[in-house]
Amino acid sequence: RHASLNLLFQGIRRLQSVLLKTALIFGAKLYTGVTFDGVIEPNSVEDGWRCKVSPASHPVSEYEFDVLIGADGKKNVIPGFQQIEMRGK
């Protein structure tokens, strides 16, 4: 059983590496030393969605987002949103 877990870990590690490289090729920016704390809803139609981050003075706290993808594990939901489960048939 231990050997199969090791192979699974290696597969996940490779998948994460491929996804990161693909995102960087498409122009995604990677920030280190920043923690996601929550989502800030827009106050008006002209405003966009923003993220509450730590430290609050980081430039990413001023960005407006169209898409937010939570990739922090199975069955985790971004606070303030309900879980939607999609199953293929």
Side-chain angles (χ1 to χ4, degrees), residues 44-82:
S44 67
V45 178
E46 293 84 27
D47 294 338
W49 290 81
R50 295 184 316 139
C51 289
K52 182 178 178 184
V53 297
S54 299
S57 60
H58 196 278
V60 78
S61 66
E62 299 300 319
Y63 287 4
E64 291 186 356
F65 298 94
D66 295 322
V67 177
L68 177 63
I69 300 172
D72 58 343
K74 184 178 181 180
K75 302 259 183 190
N76 287 342
V77 180
I78 298 170
F81 292 86
Q82 59 182 177

